[in-house]
Structure formats: C-alpha cells, structure tokens
Amino acid sequence: MKGPRSSRRCDPSIRACLVRGQYVGYREEDGADKNSSIETFAAAKLEIDSWRWAGVPWYIRAGKGLAAAATE
C-alpha cells in the first residue's frame, strides 16, 4: 500500500507511536463476549516528513465509548 510521499512509517521499535485498548465496560455490553480482548480504541502519533511540519506531531484517536465525537 502506498501512502503520501511526505509520510513515513513509525519505527517498529518505538511502541509509543501506537496505543490500542478496550474501554472500561465493553465486556458488560449486550452481545459482547465476557472474555473479549478485541480493541475498541486506538491512538497514533504521526509525523510528516516535510520542512513545513518538522517537529509537529499529529495525534489521531478513534474508538468506541469516547467522551465526545470530534474532528479537530
């Protein structure tokens, strides 16, 4: 899969670039497996390889059960 040329992949040795998890209370929802390990949340820190955006981190958060729905 090709992405924009100005983006670069996160170094796999840096685990701080990606966080995955399950929100509290998911296993108690109707239809959810009580032993589920399915992720319901992900967050990523991205950097754009461009002089204009040098040193500016981009954060993306997505998931079920967040306090607010927003795009900023």
Side-chain angles (χ1 to χ4, degrees):
M1 181 169 106
K2 290 187 177 183
R5 286 190 294 184
S6 61
S7 67
R8 75 180 110 125
R9 292 177 186 228
C10 178
D11 182 344
S13 66
I14 303 173
R15 298 213 179 255
C17 291
L18 178 64
V19 176
R20 300 175 304 165
Q22 188 179 84
Y23 74 89
V24 176
Y26 172 72
R27 295 178 188 175
E28 285 73 43
E29 284 197 9
D30 290 336
D33 184 351
K34 302 297 179 201
N35 299 312
S36 175
S37 62
I38 294 275
E39 294 98 348
T40 60
F41 172 84
K45 176 185 172 187
L46 307 173
E47 293 181 11
I48 297 179
D49 192 8
S50 164
W51 65 269
R52 184 175 301 213
W53 295 101
V56 178
W58 292 60
Y59 296 98
I60 297 176
R61 295 177 186 94
K64 194 174 176 184
L66 296 176
T71 303
E72 298 180 31

